[in-house]
Amino acid sequence: KQTLLPLLKEETSSFIFPCKLTLQRPELQHMVMELLRCIPLLLLLLFVCGLDHFIFTVLSIIQHHSFIEYSYQTSHHLSVNVMGTSLMAELLRSTIGALNTSFDSDVETSNLACLPQPTGMTRQQYLNTFLPLGALALLCLAQVYPFRLRRAIAAFYFPKREKTRVLFLYNKLLRQRKNFLYLQRGRVARQARQPPGLGTVLRQWCRRRWPRLRRYLRQSCTLCGTAETPRHQPCPNPDCRASYCESCW
C-alpha cells in the first residue's frame, strides 16, 4: 500500500500537531491576522492618550502664564464749606453739608478663579487604559491552544463524520504527494540547467582543496534547504553535485 508517513517537511508545515507546544505555521498566520485587528484599537488609544496629554500641556501653559493680579487703590474726599451766619448759609450747611464724604478703598483681585485647573493622568491610569488591550493581545496568542480541541470535540460527537474527514484527508494527501514530487523534480531540473553561482563554485572549490573544512562548508538539501548531515545522500550522477536529506531523497 502507498503510505504517507512520515510526512515530508514541506507537508508538515501545512498541518497542526496538537501535542506540540510551539506555535505552528497555520496557527501563526491566524494569530498574525488577529493581532493585526488589534492595531486599530492600539492606534486609537495612542491617539486619545496623545490628545489628552496635548490638551493637558496647553491648559498647564495657560494656567502658569496667564495669571494676572490686580491691585486697585482709590481715595475720595468731598467737603463743602459754606461760610456765613445768615439764614441761607445755615440752610445750605444743613442740606449740602450732608454730601460731605470721605473714604479710601484698596482692592486686590486676580483671575485665578477663571483659569483652568488641569489634572494629568498618572502612570497607573495609563496602565489601566492599555491593560485590556494587552490582555486582548495575550488572548490572541493563547487562543491557538483551545482551538486545537475543536477537532477532538467534533470527532467525539460525530464519529462517522470524523471517519469521512480522515478518508478525505488521506486521498487529498495522496494527490498532493504525487503532484508534489512532480513539481519538485521539475524545480530540480530547472536548477540543474542554470549555471552555479559564484558562492556555490567557491564553496565547492574550498571543499575539494581543503577536505578538513567540509564540516564548516556544509551543503544544504536541494529541496528543503536543510544543512548537510552524514545521512545526506549525494546525487549518483557524477556531474551533479546536488545533495538531499534523507526524507527528500
Side-chain angles (χ1 to χ4, degrees):
K1 294 182 179 180
Q2 187 173 6
T3 58
L4 294 172
L5 300 178
L7 295 176
L8 300 177
K9 293 183 179 180
E10 295 293 334
E11 296 173 341
T12 305
S13 60
S14 61
F15 286 92
I16 299 175
F17 296 90
C19 297
K20 286 186 176 181
L21 296 179
T22 58
L23 297 178
Q24 300 165 54
R25 182 182 296 180
E27 296 174 332
L28 287 175
Q29 295 175 356
H30 182 73
M31 183 190 66
V32 169
M33 294 302 299
E34 294 293 335
L35 291 177
L36 289 177
R37 295 177 183 177
C38 298
I39 293 180
L41 295 177
L42 177 62
L43 295 178
L44 177 62
L45 283 180
L46 292 176
F47 173 76
V48 171
C49 292
L51 182 63
D52 173 80
H53 182 71
F54 173 75
I55 295 176
F56 169 74
T57 304
V58 172
L59 294 180
S60 298
I61 294 174
I62 294 175
Q63 179 188 15
H64 290 89
H65 298 279
S66 298
F67 177 74
I68 301 176
E69 186 176 10
Y70 303 90
S71 180
Y72 178 73
Q73 296 179 353
T74 182
S75 179
H76 180 73
H77 299 279
L78 177 62
S79 178
V80 179
N81 296 322
V82 180
M83 308 301 292
T85 58
S86 63
L87 178 63
M88 182 61 69
E90 292 292 338
L91 179 62
L92 289 176
R93 275 194 293 269
S94 61
T95 56
I96 300 177
L99 299 176
N100 294 341
T101 58
S102 178
F103 67 89
D104 296 325
S105 64
D106 187 3
V107 180
E108 291 185 359
T109 183
S110 64
N111 63 344
L112 183 62
C114 301
L115 292 178
Q117 303 293 329
T119 302
M121 293 179 61
T122 62
R123 291 184 178 180
Q124 185 63 34
Q125 291 174 334
Y126 279 114
L127 181 62
N128 295 335
T129 302
F130 284 91
L131 190 61
L133 183 61
L136 180 61
L138 290 178
L139 288 177
C140 292
L141 298 176
Q143 71 177 354
V144 296
Y145 298 105
F147 280 178
R148 294 179 183 181
L149 300 176
R150 293 180 296 179
R151 189 206 61 82
I153 295 173
F156 177 79
Y157 286 101
F158 305 99
K160 294 183 179 179
R161 184 67 175 176
E162 175 68 10
K163 183 179 179 180
T164 305
R165 292 179 67 252
V166 172
L167 291 175
F168 172 79
L169 179 61
Y170 178 75
N171 294 324
K172 179 182 177 181
L173 283 177
L174 286 178
R175 293 191 299 269
Q176 289 181 351
R177 177 70 61 83
K178 183 179 180 180
N179 295 331
F180 174 78
L181 295 177
Y182 175 77
L183 294 175
Q184 293 301 327
R185 289 192 185 99
R187 184 163 70 89
V188 172
R190 288 193 298 271
Q191 290 181 0
R193 287 193 292 267
Q194 296 177 356
L198 179 61
T200 303
V201 174
L202 183 60
R203 184 174 61 251
Q204 292 175 357
W205 180 82
C206 293
R207 286 166 61 91
R208 292 193 303 267
R209 184 68 175 82
W210 297 288
R212 294 183 179 180
L213 297 179
R214 285 179 175 269
R215 59 177 180 176
Y216 302 105
L217 302 173
R218 295 184 299 175
Q219 291 181 326
S220 57
C221 178
T222 307
L223 289 179
C224 63
T226 305
E228 184 181 10
T229 62
R231 307 184 68 176
H232 271 54
Q233 296 288 339
C235 180
N237 188 351
D239 297 332
C240 179
R241 295 182 177 86
S243 177
Y244 302 91
C245 63
E246 186 179 9
S247 59
C248 293
W249 179 252

